[in-house]
């Protein structure tokens, strides 16, 4: 008796049709596991149990998939800052919530932070940040510049945190000849402390160099 031939993978009829959202969701799972560089259209098709060529009816290439995944994850950012809080606290809340999102998908963020078009005007983080700066008194023509500097500083800290550089740097001995690495037994708590330290420095710098002159003139 002959064994029935198996249907080649990716050629059987799917129970549900392919969609862009479904493709991005499957791609995110692969990126979370192995990183953006390891993602290929063939691996993505296998994860979806689809013919690789069928993906191109929905997305033109891998770069489009990565952009779609980044946009999907970016849309997860949800922060409602209290308008009665000082602007410093509102920015701190935005940065901390974005950090939480970054740690939810660190391999995707490690890739995304390296893309110059990562932040778009409609991204929830950018919209919220620029709103806080505008309400703090920054002139409209300066809001984007100040927001860009804050984004660059926060994302730079997050890159160093995600790739482990921040933790390694914090264990280097000082140049004064002291011995030992100073490594803490609670590395996660140290990461929190260093992020908050960097965030305080960013906010203080912006306050002294950008916002204070505007607020003084308004007062």
């Amino acid at each position: 008796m002959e064994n029935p031939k198996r249907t080649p993978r990716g050629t059987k009829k799917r129970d549900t049709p392919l969609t862009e959202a479904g493709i991005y969701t499957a791609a995110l799972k692969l990126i979370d596991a192995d990183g953006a560089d390891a993602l290929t259209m063939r691996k993505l098709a296998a994860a979806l149990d689809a013919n690789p060529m069928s993906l191109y009816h929905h997305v033109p290439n891998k770069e489009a998939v990565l952009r779609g995944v980044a946009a999907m994850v970016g849309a997860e950012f949800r922060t409602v800052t209290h308008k009665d809080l000082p602007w410093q606290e509102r920015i701190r809340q935005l940065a901390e919530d974005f950090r939480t999102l970054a740690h939810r998908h660190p391999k995707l963020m490690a890739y995304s932070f390296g893309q110059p078009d990562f932040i778009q005007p409609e991204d929830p983080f950018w919209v919220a940040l620029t709103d806080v700066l505008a309400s703090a008194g920054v002139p409209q023509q300066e809001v984007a510049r100040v927001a860009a500097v804050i984004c660059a500083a926060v994302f730079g800290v997050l890159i160093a945190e995600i790739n482990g550089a921040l933790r390694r740097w914090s264990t280097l001995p000082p140049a004064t000849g002291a011995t030992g690495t100073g490594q803490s037994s609670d590395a996660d708590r140290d990461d929190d402390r260093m992020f908050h330290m960097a965030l305080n420095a960013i906010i203080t710098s912006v306050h002294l160099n950008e916002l204070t002159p505007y607020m003084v003139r308004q007062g």
Side-chain angles (χ1 to χ4, degrees):
M1 179 177 179
E2 293 184 0
N3 293 326
K5 292 184 178 179
R6 294 183 178 180
T7 303
R9 184 177 180 86
T11 60
K12 67 181 181 180
K13 186 176 180 180
R14 288 173 48 84
D15 294 332
T16 57
L18 285 174
T19 63
E20 281 192 37
I23 291 171
Y24 297 153
T25 299
L28 179 59
K29 290 180 180 178
L30 294 175
I31 294 170
D32 283 343
D34 301 316
D37 290 340
L39 179 69
T40 66
M41 297 297 279
R42 188 170 296 277
K43 287 181 180 179
L44 182 54
L48 290 162
D49 198 20
N51 188 308
M53 296 307 298
S54 65
L55 297 184
Y56 294 100
H57 295 296
H58 303 274
V59 288
N61 49 44
K62 173 183 172 178
E63 287 69 29
V65 172
L66 290 170
R67 287 195 299 270
V69 173
M72 181 181 71
V73 171
E76 295 178 13
F77 182 81
R78 289 290 181 270
T79 292
V80 179
T81 63
H82 299 286
K83 294 186 181 296
D84 57 337
L85 290 176
W87 65 265
Q88 296 96 327
E89 293 304 317
R90 295 175 67 190
I91 289 181
R92 184 173 286 106
Q93 183 181 350
L94 288 174
E96 290 176 350
D97 287 351
F98 192 88
R99 179 184 181 233
T100 298
L101 179 62
H103 279 275
R104 196 178 302 158
H105 305 288
K107 293 178 181 177
L108 172 67
M109 290 301 182
Y111 164 82
S112 297
F113 287 153
Q115 308 306 308
D117 59 350
F118 171 52
I119 290 292
Q120 295 293 323
E122 66 275 11
D123 288 343
F125 179 79
W126 181 261
V127 172
L129 177 59
T130 52
D131 177 66
V132 170
L133 293 173
S135 65
V138 178
Q140 189 62 39
Q141 68 271 19
E142 295 294 328
V143 167
R145 293 188 181 92
V146 178
V149 171
I150 292 175
C151 285
V154 171
F155 294 168
V157 174
L158 284 174
I159 290 173
E161 185 178 356
I162 287 172
N163 67 21
L166 191 62
R167 183 175 295 183
R168 177 183 175 274
W169 295 337
S170 70
T171 64
L172 296 177
T176 57
T179 58
T181 62
Q183 188 168 0
S184 171
S185 59
D186 193 342
D188 289 338
R189 182 178 298 177
D190 279 352
D191 285 349
D192 291 342
R193 180 172 176 270
M194 286 186 290
F195 179 80
H196 292 144
M197 186 187 305
L199 186 56
N200 288 337
I202 293 167
I203 292 174
T204 300
S205 176
V206 171
H207 178 53
L208 293 176
N209 295 306
E210 297 295 339
L211 297 190
T212 299
Y214 302 138
M215 292 178 173
V216 168
R217 284 198 294 268
Q218 285 186 342

